[in-house]
Amino acid sequence: MADAIAEAARRHPAPEGLVYTYGTAGFRTKAEVLDSVMTRCGLIAALRSRALKGKWIGVMITASHNPPQDNGVKLVEPLGNMLQEEWEVISTVMANKATPEDVSKYYHEIAAQYKIDLSSPARVVVARDTRASGARLLNCVTDGLKGADVEYKDYGFLTTPQLHYMVRCLNTEGTPESYGIATEKGYYEKFAQAFKTALGSKRPQGHLTVDGANGVGGPKLTELIKYLPPKEEGLDISVINDNVIKPESLNVDCGADFVKTNQRAPPSSKAGPGDRCCSLDGDADRIVFYFRDANNMFHLLDGDRIATLVASFLGDLVRQSGLAESIKIGVVQTAYANGAATNYVEKNLKLKVDCTATGVKYLHHAAEKLDVGVYFEANGHGTVIFSADTLETIEKHEPRSPAQKEALDVLSACINLINQAVGDALSDMLLVEVVLAHKNWGPQEWLSTYDDLPNRLLKVIVADRRIFETTDAERRLVKPEGIQKEIDQEVQKVRQGRSFARASGTEDAVRVYAEAATRAEADDLARKVADIVKSAGK
Ligand code: 16G
Ligand code: MG
């Protein structure tokens, strides 16, 4: 009998001498060397679905904020979360098999090891961002899916969070946990309705400019706007950098990563002083806000700010609903969170803060242990998740006054407005707008809640970044030996100093972060620590 698995792999041979790794955000590299990886991800998705009794598994073709010539792929678990770590390892091994026969052999080995019935149904959903290479790579994926005899749905272009949403909807259809209707229209209707209910009688002030990074988020937002209340009654949005016809402009001089890294607005932005602006990344799972003040000074409102804003609002709602005794809110950050943000959450909001390693899956995992887990990376990835018990408590709660009822209604609407499958720039954007409208705040009031400590992020190129091993949520280096002590000594020389170095999971470099009481001290500390890393990495 012909071996359909080997046949699929043969159609897209692996380039010689390349090593692939399923990293923090899946496989991600130059699009031209990804064909074989895509086909094999199709095969892995088939195995994963069969291992989970035919549940829908997601395959997203995207390279997020990377340059236009890159691409990537990530797999999505049935409830919309990221692929289990064990399967990341399996994916990595599969991606690095040399020959079609090796691929087929490994496919059958995994099936045997996990007692997977290869004749049982497998279901997979696929979507992609707007990169030029997407169509070709999609064909590579579907060749894998056909080889493994998978029932699949191709949603065409979607944002990453929309794909996560589809996966969760398909797997919960017709159950009490039903997450929504698994169509784009279903997505827009769900979030638009929740936005309207969460706003209640409040109206967002002024105008919001949204930078779509010339990626898939732009056209999807334009679609979403059609479902939102008209701008006279709701949110007045203009979308910029939404040119997906020119894929070479993706993430170029625009998008969340550009704004966060350069600490300035995209050059194309025409927003005036005090106007709220936000930028999505190339696959719209990340968002940062910003504005210019009356003196033309640029101010960034990043993931830390979204987390503090949302945590404080949810805290108020829980208290006003009479639920303060039964529901505890916690905030999850990474070491990149500004020290002032951490301090504000602990001292002012009086909420617990957890710190995890970098990467959405680590934060998500930590947030799952909380009643209400608000998790955001400073770079703008994040969302809020509510435990099953908490959802039940909220649902069963009998308000004792009209004020309690009003707060409870807004809280319930916020739960629907938040994409709990994964951090979603569009959903996060609407949530921020709801909070600002309820607080009657503009960006200046939002910024005034606390002052960020000046900070600096540097990238150090070393011979082999893998020699840098960390502990304590990446805040301390255990290897190379002795260098943490040198870093500590530098940190002690500046006021309110904090610094750490960690190997990047997405680039061949070590990242150094430093913060201190003044700009000069932060810059100086970052430089010193970068020097320590450089000499240790020679
Ligand atoms: C990936 C991660 C992001 C993390 C970043 C760190 C996901 C979806 N994305 O983009 O969470 O902040 O990597 O990059 O998990 P780095 O390791 O190069 O600093
Ligand atoms: Mg992204």
Side-chain angles (χ1 to χ4, degrees):
M1 208 176 75
D3 180 347
I5 305 298
E7 269 317 302
R10 189 162 299 127
R11 227 165 286 147
H12 305 289
E16 255 172 63
L18 285 183
V19 179
Y20 300 97
T21 314
Y22 196 105
T24 21
F27 294 104
R28 197 182 288 183
T29 182
K30 297 276 162 279
E32 64 200 39
V33 296
L34 274 169
D35 295 40
S36 61
V37 173
M38 293 288 164
T39 306
R40 292 150 189 230
C41 277
L43 299 176
I44 295 291
L47 286 171
R48 185 71 186 128
S49 172
R50 289 194 167 108
L52 295 168
K53 308 262 173 304
K55 289 242 166 61
W56 291 92
I57 294 294
V59 176
M60 182 71 201
I61 303 171
T62 177
S64 186
H65 61 270
N66 282 43
Q69 63 277 19
D70 290 7
N71 215 326
V73 57
K74 44 189 171 187
L75 302 185
V76 178
E77 293 274 324
L79 286 182
N81 8 13
M82 311 244 171
L83 186 65
Q84 258 196 12
E85 266 174 68
E86 208 179 330
W87 283 80
E88 293 185 5
V89 178
I90 296 172
S91 305
T92 298
V93 174
M94 181 62 108
N96 292 303
K97 289 290 172 197
T99 68
E101 290 71 29
D102 294 342
V103 168
S104 175
K105 187 161 166 257
Y106 188 59
Y107 180 87
H108 290 94
E109 273 167 22
I110 293 298
Q113 189 183 333
Y114 287 82
K115 303 196 170 43
I116 295 168
D117 174 2
L118 287 177
S119 61
S120 68
R123 300 185 179 89
V124 173
V125 280
V126 201
R128 59 187 159 112
D129 71 14
T130 51
R131 284 163 200 270
S133 57
R136 187 189 86 238
L137 296 177
L138 171 69
N139 278 330
C140 302
V141 172
T142 53
D143 278 345
L145 296 175
K146 287 175 200 158
D149 196 20
V150 171
E151 175 193 342
Y152 70 88
K153 277 181 205 272
D154 170 16
Y155 276 92
F157 300 110
L158 288 182
T159 70
T160 293
Q162 283 181 321
L163 187 267
H164 285 249
Y165 164 91
M166 297 306 171
V167 172
R168 186 160 176 150
C169 289
L170 287 167
N171 285 309
T172 55
E173 224 163 42
T175 73
E177 286 78 41
S178 168
Y179 196 59
I181 299 166
T183 59
E184 266 195 76
K185 185 161 177 274
Y187 172 94
Y188 300 126
E189 282 177 349
K190 173 175 172 142
F191 290 102
Q193 182 56 48
F195 177 67
K196 212 169 140 188
T197 315
L199 269 184
S201 58
K202 301 290 190 294
R203 294 282 159 268
Q205 304 299 311
H207 178 261
L208 176 69
T209 303
V210 187
D211 155 24
N214 292 323
V216 66
K220 297 306 176 188
L221 172 58
T222 303
E223 203 51 37
L224 170 64
I225 291 172
K226 296 181 190 157
Y227 295 79
L228 296 176
K231 67 178 180 203
E232 305 74 45
E233 293 166 34
L235 182 55
D236 184 7
I237 305 184
S238 43
V239 189
I240 62 166
N241 301 322
D242 58 349
N243 186 353
V244 291
I245 308 300
K246 231 177 97 189
E248 65 274 22
S249 62
L250 174 70
N251 296 322
V252 176
D253 283 346
C254 60
D257 202 58
F258 172 89
V259 173
K260 172 77 183 162
T261 317
N262 297 289
Q263 307 262 332
R264 62 186 167 96
S268 52
S269 172
K270 302 275 179 297
D275 274 351
R276 292 191 304 289
C277 303
C278 62
S279 286
L280 320 179
D281 73 339
D283 63 339
D285 64 352
R286 199 176 142 183
I287 185 168
V288 294
F289 283 75
Y290 47 93
F291 71 106
R292 282 192 290 132
D293 66 18
N295 302 319
N296 242 339
M297 272 272 286
F298 172 85
H299 298 283
L300 181 66
L301 295 153
D302 63 3
D304 293 347
R305 297 282 180 173
I306 300 175
T308 50
L309 181 77
V310 168
S312 101
F313 184 61
L314 293 177
D316 290 346
L317 290 177
V318 164
R319 247 187 322 277
Q320 290 159 5
S321 318
L323 284 165
E325 289 309 311
S326 31
I327 297 177
K328 295 279 168 274
I329 300 176
V331 174
V332 184
Q333 304 177 322
T334 71
Y336 289 109
N338 196 281
T342 312
N343 193 48
Y344 175 77
V345 176
E346 288 176 336
K347 304 279 155 48
N348 294 62
L349 303 180
K350 304 209 177 339
L351 301 177
K352 190 168 96 84
V353 178
D354 288 325
C355 182
T356 72
T358 301
V360 170
K361 63 185 174 203
Y362 300 112
L363 289 103
H364 191 95
H365 201 64
E368 276 176 337
K369 301 198 177 104
L370 304 167
D371 295 348
V372 178
V374 179
Y375 77 82
F376 276 89
E377 292 187 307
N379 63 20
H381 276 293
T383 189
V384 185
I385 50 182
F386 297 79
S387 74
D389 286 351
T390 303
L391 291 177
E392 199 183 316
T393 306
I394 293 171
E395 206 168 298
K396 289 204 175 132
H397 183 61
E398 295 284 347
R400 300 229 177 90
S401 66
Q404 280 199 359
K405 176 163 188 336
E406 199 186 322
L408 195 65
D409 288 346
V410 177
L411 179 61
S412 303
C414 284
I415 294 173
N416 288 324
L417 181 57
I418 296 166
N419 189 337
Q420 290 181 56
V422 74
D424 181 336
L426 298 180
S427 145
D428 288 341
M429 178 192 85
L430 295 178
L431 179 65
V432 164
E433 288 297 321
V434 163
V435 180
L436 293 178
H438 274 273
K439 289 184 181 273
N440 203 10
W441 278 5
Q444 187 64 57
E445 287 82 8
W446 181 8
L447 182 74
S448 305
T449 45
Y450 63 86
D451 291 324
D452 270 323
L453 285 171
N455 58 88
R456 181 65 61 199
L457 190 60
L458 295 177
K459 198 160 85 176
V460 184
I461 307 296
V462 292
D464 181 4
R465 74 188 200 273
R466 288 170 303 180
I467 66 168
F468 292 84
E469 286 177 28
T470 60
T471 179
D472 189 21
E474 302 179 324
R475 288 174 289 194
R476 301 186 64 77
L477 282 166
V478 283
K479 276 185 189 160
E481 240 161 86
I483 89 167
Q484 185 59 48
K485 213 166 146 206
E486 290 177 52
I487 296 176
D488 289 344
Q489 281 164 359
E490 292 304 330
V491 168
Q492 264 149 34
K493 289 183 195 158
V494 302
R495 288 165 302 150
Q496 290 178 273
R498 188 170 69 88
S499 180
F500 65 92
R502 56 173 277 279
S504 158
T506 63
E507 275 185 87
D508 200 7
V510 173
R511 297 198 200 286
V512 169
Y513 175 90
E515 65 183 31
T518 60
R519 159 81 22 232
E521 284 168 293
D523 286 351
D524 197 43
L525 179 58
R527 247 193 323 269
K528 296 259 174 54
V529 174
D531 286 342
I532 295 172
V533 168
K534 225 175 281 170
S535 35
K538 267 195 189 131

